[in-house]
Amino acid sequence: MQDAHTGDWVWESQLPARLLGSLQELNLRFLGLRAGPGGEFGGQAAPLSPAQRLAVAGCPYALFDLKFQDDGHWCPRLQNAAPWRVADAAMGEPEAVEFVHLALFFAWHVASTAKLAAQLILGMNEATALAFRRITVDRLPQLAASETPNLGARWSDCAAYWNALARAAARPDPAGLRRVQLFGVQLAAAARLPAGPTGRAAAAMTPVAKDPSRK
């Protein structure tokens, strides 16, 4: 685990404290939206106390996702200055639309002002970060209206990570929770690697299935 601790320290040391604070608030809002029985958090967050949810939200990366890693999704939307059609109006609950508006403002701010933070926190590729930097804040409400259906949990296909995160938060063991959060850093790093014949990305995710909250 020494390498994971070192990597996490380097990761967080590159992120301004004010960004981490805003990120924690967004993660906490997202957990409130998606903690129910049908949400990506598997329903396990529902019994967690407010303090336990706050601890989960303290990950040094976003727990939510809006396809930030997909240049093919974002670059055409951000480069096209044409007004959105009526058919692109907001879909979903008002709370989700409000969250997406805040998340996109955060993404725009991070991409515009903090070097590498968009890649570290949100998993953005450089092309998408550059496209965000080129738009003005006035574009964000239109984007929020059309992107709300794309809101989801980060690594939603990795149930082992989310289940371990919920179990670790429910225990009186901050160190165990931190270990799970460290594996999230590894997941974020693995997602940026090409999945070649050696299966490096898949290999990086394997330890999560062993419940990293346990020593």
Short mmCIF file of all heavy atoms in Angstrom, two decimals, residues 89-123:
data_model
loop_
_atom_site.label_atom_id
_atom_site.label_comp_id
_atom_site.label_asym_id
_atom_site.label_seq_id
_atom_site.Cartn_x
_atom_site.Cartn_y
_atom_site.Cartn_z
N ALA A 89 -34.42 20.44 -24.06
CA ALA A 89 -34.75 21.00 -22.75
C ALA A 89 -34.43 20.00 -21.65
O ALA A 89 -34.25 18.80 -21.89
CB ALA A 89 -36.22 21.38 -22.70
N ALA A 90 -34.37 20.52 -20.42
CA ALA A 90 -33.96 19.71 -19.28
C ALA A 90 -34.86 18.51 -19.08
O ALA A 90 -36.08 18.60 -19.24
CB ALA A 90 -33.96 20.57 -18.03
N MET A 91 -34.27 17.40 -18.73
CA MET A 91 -34.99 16.19 -18.39
C MET A 91 -34.54 15.75 -17.01
O MET A 91 -33.37 15.87 -16.67
CB MET A 91 -34.71 15.08 -19.42
CG MET A 91 -35.13 15.41 -20.83
SD MET A 91 -34.63 14.12 -22.00
CE MET A 91 -35.44 12.67 -21.31
N GLY A 92 -35.47 15.23 -16.22
CA GLY A 92 -35.11 14.74 -14.91
C GLY A 92 -35.64 15.63 -13.80
O GLY A 92 -36.29 16.65 -14.04
N GLU A 93 -35.36 15.22 -12.58
CA GLU A 93 -35.83 15.96 -11.41
C GLU A 93 -35.12 17.30 -11.30
O GLU A 93 -33.96 17.43 -11.69
CB GLU A 93 -35.57 15.13 -10.15
CG GLU A 93 -36.33 13.82 -10.10
CD GLU A 93 -37.84 14.03 -10.06
OE1 GLU A 93 -38.28 15.04 -9.44
OE2 GLU A 93 -38.57 13.23 -10.65
N PRO A 94 -35.83 18.32 -10.76
CA PRO A 94 -35.21 19.64 -10.62
C PRO A 94 -33.91 19.59 -9.82
O PRO A 94 -32.97 20.34 -10.12
CB PRO A 94 -36.29 20.46 -9.89
CG PRO A 94 -37.57 19.79 -10.24
CD PRO A 94 -37.25 18.33 -10.36
N GLU A 95 -33.85 18.73 -8.80
CA GLU A 95 -32.62 18.64 -7.99
C GLU A 95 -31.45 18.16 -8.84
O GLU A 95 -30.31 18.62 -8.67
CB GLU A 95 -32.83 17.70 -6.81
CG GLU A 95 -33.82 18.18 -5.77
CD GLU A 95 -35.26 17.85 -6.15
OE1 GLU A 95 -35.49 17.27 -7.25
OE2 GLU A 95 -36.17 18.16 -5.35
N ALA A 96 -31.72 17.22 -9.77
CA ALA A 96 -30.65 16.72 -10.63
C ALA A 96 -30.20 17.80 -11.61
O ALA A 96 -28.99 17.95 -11.87
CB ALA A 96 -31.12 15.48 -11.39
N VAL A 97 -31.15 18.55 -12.16
CA VAL A 97 -30.80 19.63 -13.08
C VAL A 97 -29.95 20.67 -12.36
O VAL A 97 -28.94 21.16 -12.90
CB VAL A 97 -32.06 20.28 -13.67
CG1 VAL A 97 -31.69 21.45 -14.56
CG2 VAL A 97 -32.88 19.25 -14.45
N GLU A 98 -30.35 21.01 -11.14
CA GLU A 98 -29.58 21.98 -10.36
C GLU A 98 -28.17 21.46 -10.09
O GLU A 98 -27.18 22.21 -10.19
CB GLU A 98 -30.29 22.29 -9.04
CG GLU A 98 -29.54 23.29 -8.17
CD GLU A 98 -30.21 23.53 -6.83
OE1 GLU A 98 -31.17 22.79 -6.51
OE2 GLU A 98 -29.77 24.43 -6.10
N PHE A 99 -28.07 20.18 -9.77
CA PHE A 99 -26.75 19.60 -9.50
C PHE A 99 -25.87 19.67 -10.75
O PHE A 99 -24.69 20.04 -10.67
CB PHE A 99 -26.87 18.16 -9.03
CG PHE A 99 -25.53 17.49 -8.87
CD1 PHE A 99 -24.80 17.66 -7.71
CD2 PHE A 99 -24.97 16.74 -9.91
CE1 PHE A 99 -23.54 17.08 -7.57
CE2 PHE A 99 -23.72 16.17 -9.78
CZ PHE A 99 -23.00 16.34 -8.60
N VAL A 100 -26.43 19.30 -11.90
CA VAL A 100 -25.65 19.31 -13.14
C VAL A 100 -25.18 20.73 -13.46
O VAL A 100 -24.05 20.93 -13.92
CB VAL A 100 -26.45 18.71 -14.30
CG1 VAL A 100 -25.74 18.92 -15.64
CG2 VAL A 100 -26.68 17.22 -14.06
N HIS A 101 -26.03 21.70 -13.21
CA HIS A 101 -25.63 23.10 -13.43
C HIS A 101 -24.41 23.44 -12.57
O HIS A 101 -23.43 24.01 -13.06
CB HIS A 101 -26.80 24.02 -13.12
CG HIS A 101 -26.62 25.41 -13.63
ND1 HIS A 101 -27.61 26.35 -13.63
CD2 HIS A 101 -25.54 26.04 -14.16
CE1 HIS A 101 -27.16 27.49 -14.13
NE2 HIS A 101 -25.91 27.33 -14.46
N LEU A 102 -24.46 23.08 -11.29
CA LEU A 102 -23.33 23.33 -10.40
C LEU A 102 -22.09 22.55 -10.84
O LEU A 102 -20.97 23.08 -10.82
CB LEU A 102 -23.70 22.95 -8.97
CG LEU A 102 -24.71 23.86 -8.25
CD1 LEU A 102 -25.11 23.25 -6.92
CD2 LEU A 102 -24.14 25.25 -8.06
N ALA A 103 -22.29 21.28 -11.21
CA ALA A 103 -21.16 20.44 -11.61
C ALA A 103 -20.48 20.98 -12.87
O ALA A 103 -19.25 20.97 -12.97
CB ALA A 103 -21.63 19.01 -11.84
N LEU A 104 -21.26 21.47 -13.83
CA LEU A 104 -20.68 22.01 -15.04
C LEU A 104 -19.97 23.34 -14.78
O LEU A 104 -18.93 23.63 -15.39
CB LEU A 104 -21.75 22.19 -16.11
CG LEU A 104 -22.28 20.89 -16.73
CD1 LEU A 104 -23.35 21.20 -17.76
CD2 LEU A 104 -21.15 20.07 -17.36
N PHE A 105 -20.53 24.15 -13.88
CA PHE A 105 -19.84 25.38 -13.53
C PHE A 105 -18.50 25.05 -12.87
O PHE A 105 -17.47 25.67 -13.17
CB PHE A 105 -20.68 26.23 -12.58
CG PHE A 105 -20.00 27.52 -12.19
CD1 PHE A 105 -20.07 28.64 -13.01
CD2 PHE A 105 -19.27 27.61 -11.01
CE1 PHE A 105 -19.42 29.82 -12.65
CE2 PHE A 105 -18.61 28.77 -10.66
CZ PHE A 105 -18.69 29.89 -11.48
N PHE A 106 -18.50 24.05 -11.99
CA PHE A 106 -17.26 23.61 -11.35
C PHE A 106 -16.28 23.11 -12.39
O PHE A 106 -15.09 23.45 -12.36
CB PHE A 106 -17.58 22.52 -10.33
CG PHE A 106 -16.38 21.95 -9.63
CD1 PHE A 106 -15.76 22.65 -8.60
CD2 PHE A 106 -15.87 20.71 -9.99
CE1 PHE A 106 -14.65 22.13 -7.95
CE2 PHE A 106 -14.78 20.17 -9.34
CZ PHE A 106 -14.16 20.89 -8.31
N ALA A 107 -16.76 22.29 -13.33
CA ALA A 107 -15.89 21.74 -14.38
C ALA A 107 -15.30 22.86 -15.23
O ALA A 107 -14.10 22.84 -15.56
CB ALA A 107 -16.66 20.76 -15.26
N TRP A 108 -16.12 23.83 -15.60
CA TRP A 108 -15.65 24.97 -16.40
C TRP A 108 -14.59 25.77 -15.63
O TRP A 108 -13.55 26.13 -16.17
CB TRP A 108 -16.83 25.85 -16.77
CG TRP A 108 -16.46 27.15 -17.41
CD1 TRP A 108 -16.11 27.35 -18.72
CD2 TRP A 108 -16.39 28.43 -16.77
NE1 TRP A 108 -15.83 28.68 -18.94
CE2 TRP A 108 -16.00 29.37 -17.76
CE3 TRP A 108 -16.63 28.87 -15.47
CZ2 TRP A 108 -15.83 30.72 -17.47
CZ3 TRP A 108 -16.47 30.22 -15.19
CH2 TRP A 108 -16.07 31.13 -16.17
N HIS A 109 -14.86 26.01 -14.35
CA HIS A 109 -13.93 26.78 -13.53
C HIS A 109 -12.61 26.03 -13.37
O HIS A 109 -11.52 26.62 -13.52
CB HIS A 109 -14.55 27.05 -12.17
CG HIS A 109 -13.61 27.72 -11.21
ND1 HIS A 109 -13.26 29.05 -11.30
CD2 HIS A 109 -12.92 27.23 -10.13
CE1 HIS A 109 -12.42 29.37 -10.34
NE2 HIS A 109 -12.19 28.29 -9.61
N VAL A 110 -12.68 24.74 -13.09
CA VAL A 110 -11.46 23.94 -12.89
C VAL A 110 -10.65 23.89 -14.18
O VAL A 110 -9.43 24.06 -14.18
CB VAL A 110 -11.82 22.53 -12.40
CG1 VAL A 110 -10.61 21.61 -12.45
CG2 VAL A 110 -12.37 22.58 -10.98
N ALA A 111 -11.32 23.63 -15.30
CA ALA A 111 -10.62 23.55 -16.58
C ALA A 111 -9.98 24.88 -16.96
O ALA A 111 -8.94 24.91 -17.63
CB ALA A 111 -11.57 23.09 -17.67
N SER A 112 -10.61 25.99 -16.52
CA SER A 112 -10.14 27.32 -16.92
C SER A 112 -9.04 27.86 -16.04
O SER A 112 -8.26 28.73 -16.48
CB SER A 112 -11.33 28.31 -16.91
OG SER A 112 -12.33 27.90 -17.80
N THR A 113 -8.95 27.39 -14.79
CA THR A 113 -8.06 28.06 -13.84
C THR A 113 -7.01 27.18 -13.19
O THR A 113 -6.02 27.72 -12.67
CB THR A 113 -8.88 28.71 -12.71
OG1 THR A 113 -9.58 27.69 -11.98
CG2 THR A 113 -9.89 29.71 -13.26
N ALA A 114 -7.18 25.88 -13.18
CA ALA A 114 -6.27 25.01 -12.41
C ALA A 114 -5.60 23.99 -13.33
O ALA A 114 -6.28 23.15 -13.92
CB ALA A 114 -7.03 24.30 -11.30
N LYS A 115 -4.29 24.08 -13.43
CA LYS A 115 -3.54 23.17 -14.28
C LYS A 115 -3.66 21.73 -13.80
O LYS A 115 -3.47 21.44 -12.62
CB LYS A 115 -2.06 23.58 -14.28
CG LYS A 115 -1.18 22.74 -15.20
CD LYS A 115 0.26 23.22 -15.17
CE LYS A 115 1.13 22.38 -16.09
NZ LYS A 115 2.55 22.82 -16.05
N LEU A 116 -4.02 20.85 -14.71
CA LEU A 116 -4.14 19.40 -14.49
C LEU A 116 -5.31 19.01 -13.59
O LEU A 116 -5.65 17.82 -13.52
CB LEU A 116 -2.85 18.82 -13.89
CG LEU A 116 -1.61 18.86 -14.79
CD1 LEU A 116 -0.43 18.25 -14.05
CD2 LEU A 116 -1.85 18.13 -16.10
N ALA A 117 -5.95 19.95 -12.89
CA ALA A 117 -7.00 19.57 -11.95
C ALA A 117 -8.18 18.91 -12.64
O ALA A 117 -8.80 17.99 -12.09
CB ALA A 117 -7.47 20.79 -11.16
N ALA A 118 -8.52 19.35 -13.86
CA ALA A 118 -9.65 18.75 -14.57
C ALA A 118 -9.39 17.27 -14.86
O ALA A 118 -10.29 16.44 -14.78
CB ALA A 118 -9.94 19.51 -15.86
N GLN A 119 -8.13 16.96 -15.20
CA GLN A 119 -7.78 15.56 -15.44
C GLN A 119 -7.80 14.76 -14.14
O GLN A 119 -8.30 13.63 -14.09
CB GLN A 119 -6.40 15.46 -16.09
CG GLN A 119 -6.35 16.00 -17.52
CD GLN A 119 -5.88 17.44 -17.57
OE1 GLN A 119 -6.35 18.28 -16.83
NE2 GLN A 119 -4.95 17.72 -18.48
N LEU A 120 -7.23 15.32 -13.07
CA LEU A 120 -7.12 14.59 -11.81
C LEU A 120 -8.47 14.41 -11.14
O LEU A 120 -8.79 13.33 -10.64
CB LEU A 120 -6.17 15.34 -10.87
CG LEU A 120 -4.71 15.44 -11.31
CD1 LEU A 120 -3.92 16.26 -10.29
CD2 LEU A 120 -4.08 14.07 -11.46
N ILE A 121 -9.26 15.48 -11.09
CA ILE A 121 -10.52 15.45 -10.35
C ILE A 121 -11.65 14.80 -11.14
O ILE A 121 -12.41 13.98 -10.61
CB ILE A 121 -10.94 16.87 -9.93
CG1 ILE A 121 -9.98 17.45 -8.90
CG2 ILE A 121 -12.37 16.89 -9.37
CD1 ILE A 121 -10.28 18.89 -8.53
N LEU A 122 -11.76 15.16 -12.42
CA LEU A 122 -12.93 14.78 -13.21
C LEU A 122 -12.66 13.72 -14.26
O LEU A 122 -13.59 13.20 -14.86
CB LEU A 122 -13.51 16.02 -13.90
CG LEU A 122 -13.95 17.15 -12.97
CD1 LEU A 122 -14.23 18.42 -13.76
CD2 LEU A 122 -15.20 16.75 -12.19
N GLY A 123 -11.39 13.41 -14.50
CA GLY A 123 -11.05 12.43 -15.52
C GLY A 123 -11.14 12.98 -16.93
O GLY A 123 -11.23 12.22 -17.89
#
